[in-house]
Amino acid sequence: MDQARSTISKIFNGEPHSYTRFNLTQNMEGDNSQVEMKLASDVDEEVGGNGVGEHLNHNSTRKPYVAQKLGRTPKNLCFMAAAILLIFIIGYLIGYLVHRKKDAAPICSASMVRVKGPIPHETGAAALMDWDDVKNLLAQKVSADKFESVFNELSLNEHRAGSSGDEFLANKVVKKFKEYGMMTWTDEHFVKVQDPPATGSNRFSFKNGSDERPEGFLSYSANGVVTGAVLYGFYGQENDLKLLRDKSINLTGRVLLVRAGRISFAEKVANAAKMGASAVLIYPDPEDYPIGDNTPLFGHVHMGSGDPYTPGFPSFNHTQFPPVQSSGLPKILAQTITAGMATNILRQLGGQNVPDGWGGLNKLGDLSDVITVEVRNVLTEKKINNVFGVIKGFVDADRYVVIGAQRDAWGPGFATSTVGTSVLVELARSISDMVKNDGFKPRRSIVFASWSAGEYGSVGATEWLEGYLSSLSMKAFAYIDLDGVVTGQKGFKVAASPLMHSLIESTLTEVKTKTGTLSSQYARGNWESNVLEPLKLDSAAYPFLAFTGIPSVSFGFTAGNSDYQFFGTKLDTRDRLNIATGNQVPQLAKTSTQFAGHMVLRLVHDHLLRMDLMKYDKIIRTHVAQINGKVKAVQRMQPQLLPKALTMQWLMSASGSYSRASRQLASDIQNSDLEDIEMCRVINDRIMTVERNFLSPYVSPRESPFRHILLGSGPPTLKALSNHLEALRTDHPDADADLFRNQFALATWTIQGCANSLAGDIWAMDNAI
């Protein structure tokens, strides 16, 4: 550079003119860049030198030249102009290289799809804090002592969806988010729900006795009056009712009396309707719910989620749709009664003895045990508000994990909503503080959501999903549900998408308890069999997974194998939860916050989303093997229904395509140069498509909202396909061979489509099918 300055100075001072030649060599990695300048004199050429080559040769003999006065000839003016232009270009290039090195994108370290070790330290725009430091920071921020004041602030005796108490709590949550420096917003919906009749209660009368008027009710029941014979149905599960049918008991027109628990109210009513029952009475049996003889139960019986009068689309006030109803609304009556009312009925039943293990009072009921049930629920419209806060990411701000909790309840709802909302608020405070004061920079955004109308079937959460489905399905990569995270202390259960199982396993080993870790305390041996359970229909995580295709997780401390006895009652108070947990609610809330926080922070900290694609490969193969065995059985026993021409080749091929695509993605991650933020984004987008592409594109979300072929419900699922084969094998009257073949083909192509999407580029797809 000194030589360049000297030469250029000589030009402007009248020294002999020279030419300048430069070449810019840039290392594409952005680490080493240099400008090499080579200068030579015009006179060298005139005195017979060997040109540029000889000028650069250190061993050549150079002859001195005599300086000549620079004349103002056109040739010299051109050289001056060229030199000035050269100076500008050199300065621009040097400035560009320096600026480029400072603004280099963050390095994305290579990682497997199933990541277990710590991610290397990162430099760049979003400095990557060491994972151990992130864990320690969260542990410092979350304290059991802080939950006492939060519980006090967020507890209300009355906060049903759409009530003034519900709105009061929503405003408190928004205020908290703003105090933490978060951007907030509110999502307003006008939803239709059923409330008790104007008289205050529905009624029933048994054997022409006096009217009984239970205080509890089931929203979304059919209305009307039904008279029929009572039949005891245990828990109302499919197997329970099939056992009654196998005992040659006709369920048509019967009024089923079933226990609460094991499955949702909606599933009990749907199972009864399939068997031809005319009404269902649900009661809390003292063996499961020792809550007293006169405690009313509340709930809903919509076999779905969201507002059933706007199925598949949001309940915004400006949406003018014609009257329509969800296919999940029951067409039979449903009502809850107290344990005392049920005992009075059971004592008077005749008929056959109950099957072994069913409990009850020995008899199932006969045709003389007549009961009249009247339901007159009132359909009302309520305004509900979902409230949100966001911590924006520093790299992929338009990709986000959502973490949410229900805010409403039938009564005090301490375990139902207060604890979950408190965990939500404390987690928001902790992570916000880490970002503002400790230098933590999440790569992706975190959305905190407080839902309303959860007691009516995750209405608030589902309406939000329906309102922003096209955006959420592309940008939200996970949902973490905080409902019911503390209902006991004996067990710890998790229900989640298989994609998140590896993340859950690592989190269990990292979150500490008083006696060790969550893994050592609750997941000894085979952690999957001890901790994992199926995701329930009445969980807010279910529509995220089965309706929208977003990997989701729900978890909580439990009382063991039994449900929390105060759900759906007005007895869900802080004192009763303290009794159930041995006065450990704040400590368990703290551990729940850390468990959720670890998953959230891992998902926004790592370069690549911690999703285990190979889990679904095993699940698909299991389903295909079961279907293959049943197809062969039908072809052997009912050859006229499924001819030999129906082959399993294409379903097996689709399964193989998914297996190869998932393995190829793992290989791409290992073998690609990932020191590129865009490469990380492309790979993460491929991972995000997996769950979404398991939603069958061949059915209407209105008719079959939970379209996930592996984890959903209804005709599009592989489970329904297997059940249809069983019906064909037994020559059941509802079996339809043509319908089965159609379902079979669509399921095959759904799996193949998922494999194609996972493969990425159109030219990388597996075309074997």
Side-chain angles (χ1 to χ4, degrees), residues 587-655:
Q587 289 75 19
L588 295 172
K590 170 197 168 184
T591 307
S592 298
T593 305
Q594 290 179 320
F595 184 78
H598 274 241
M599 290 190 291
V600 169
L601 292 175
R602 197 53 135 163
L603 288 169
V604 300
H605 168 274
D606 291 359
H607 300 82
L608 297 177
L609 295 176
R610 187 167 287 229
M611 302 286 181
D612 188 356
L613 304 177
M614 300 308 295
K615 283 285 185 179
Y616 269 130
D617 181 32
K618 185 182 299 184
I619 294 172
I620 292 171
R621 288 178 178 275
T622 300
H623 278 289
V624 170
Q626 291 174 349
I627 292 171
N628 182 44
K630 290 188 176 183
V631 165
K632 290 180 178 178
V634 174
Q635 288 176 332
R636 184 175 62 255
M637 300 176 66
Q638 305 285 350
Q640 74 281 5
L641 297 178
L642 289 185
K644 295 292 184 182
L646 179 69
T647 174
M648 284 289 297
Q649 174 187 350
W650 303 119
L651 182 59
M652 291 179 174
S653 177
S655 173

Side-chain angles (χ1 to χ4, degrees), residues 161-162 188-195 220 306-310 313-317 379-386 452-454 456 458-464 466:
E188 185 179 85
H189 294 274
F190 293 82
V191 300
K192 290 185 175 66
V193 300
Q194 275 190 357
D195 281 337
Y220 304 126
D307 183 350
Y309 296 94
T310 59
F313 50 87
S315 299
F316 293 132
N317 200 31
L379 189 66
T380 60
E381 184 175 83
K382 294 187 178 183
K383 183 183 80 170
I384 63 170
N385 291 301
N386 299 321
S452 184
Y456 290 93
S458 305
V459 172
T462 304
E463 294 308 308
W464 186 65
E466 291 175 343

Side-chain angles (χ1 to χ4, degrees), residues 204-211 227 348 368-372:
F204 72 89
S205 61
F206 180 58
K207 289 190 172 182
N208 296 319
S210 60
D211 284 353
T227 298
Q348 301 181 55
S368 64
D369 298 318
V370 177
I371 192 171
T372 298

Side-chain angles (χ1 to χ4, degrees), residues 114-305:
R114 180 170 180 169
V115 189
K116 286 205 171 183
I119 302 299
H121 195 78
E122 179 192 36
T123 59
L128 184 62
M129 185 179 289
D130 184 78
W131 174 242
D132 287 337
D133 293 338
V134 175
K135 290 190 297 184
N136 293 334
L137 270 178
L138 181 65
Q140 294 169 17
K141 304 294 180 185
V142 181
S143 167
D145 295 337
K146 293 179 181 178
F147 275 99
E148 293 291 347
S149 61
V150 180
F151 289 157
N152 291 334
E153 196 169 355
L154 297 177
S155 295
L156 277 182
N157 286 331
E158 177 58 42
H159 49 112
R160 280 197 189 186
S163 68
S164 58
D166 181 29
E167 187 174 357
F168 175 77
L169 288 178
N171 292 333
K172 279 205 169 188
V173 173
V174 170
K175 182 181 178 182
K176 289 283 187 183
F177 288 165
K178 288 181 178 179
E179 287 176 1
Y180 307 150
M182 300 165 64
M183 174 185 168
T184 64
W185 72 99
T186 299
D187 192 52
E188 185 179 85
H189 294 274
F190 293 82
V191 300
K192 290 185 175 66
V193 300
Q194 275 190 357
D195 281 337
T199 58
S201 60
N202 296 309
R203 71 173 189 90
F204 72 89
S205 61
F206 180 58
K207 289 190 172 182
N208 296 319
S210 60
D211 284 353
E212 297 278 6
R213 294 186 176 273
E215 179 186 347
F217 78 105
L218 292 171
S219 191
Y220 304 126
S221 165
N223 281 337
V225 180
V226 162
T227 298
V230 175
L231 179 64
Y232 176 61
F234 203 29
Y235 287 98
Q237 301 172 107
E238 283 191 19
N239 290 338
D240 299 335
L241 304 188
K242 286 179 180 178
L243 184 56
L244 293 176
R245 187 183 61 190
D246 293 343
K247 292 171 74 69
S248 301
I249 297 175
N250 185 3
L251 276 70
T252 302
R254 302 293 290 267
V255 175
L256 282 181
L257 178 62
V258 299
R259 295 181 176 191
R262 297 198 180 178
I263 59 175
S264 68
F265 293 159
E267 290 171 295
K268 295 175 190 292
V269 176
N271 292 338
K274 287 179 188 176
M275 294 293 188
S278 60
V280 179
L281 298 176
I282 303 173
Y283 75 99
D285 193 276
E287 288 186 6
D288 304 314
Y289 298 88
I291 56 178
D293 286 346
N294 301 313
T295 301
L297 283 182
F298 301 84
H300 77 92
V301 289
H302 175 212
M303 190 67 173
S305 63

Side-chain angles (χ1 to χ4, degrees), residues 103 147 170 180 247 291 305 333 376 439 482 507 681 685 689:
D103 290 345
F147 275 99
Y180 307 150
K247 292 171 74 69
I291 56 178
S305 63
L333 275 57
R376 299 292 183 189
L482 299 178
T507 304
R681 187 177 173 93
D685 284 350
T689 64

Side-chain angles (χ1 to χ4, degrees), residues 540-554:
Y542 192 78
F544 273 87
L545 176 65
F547 173 71
T548 316
I550 297 172
S552 305
V553 57
S554 176

Side-chain angles (χ1 to χ4, degrees), residues 499 612-618 620 653-663 690 694 751-752 754-755 758 766:
L499 290 178
D612 188 356
L613 304 177
M614 300 308 295
K615 283 285 185 179
Y616 269 130
D617 181 32
K618 185 182 299 184
I620 292 171
S653 177
S655 173
S657 293
Y658 178 85
S659 181
R660 288 188 292 275
S662 58
R663 288 198 303 269
V690 174
F694 280 127
I751 296 173
Q752 181 64 45
C754 187
L758 188 60
D766 187 338

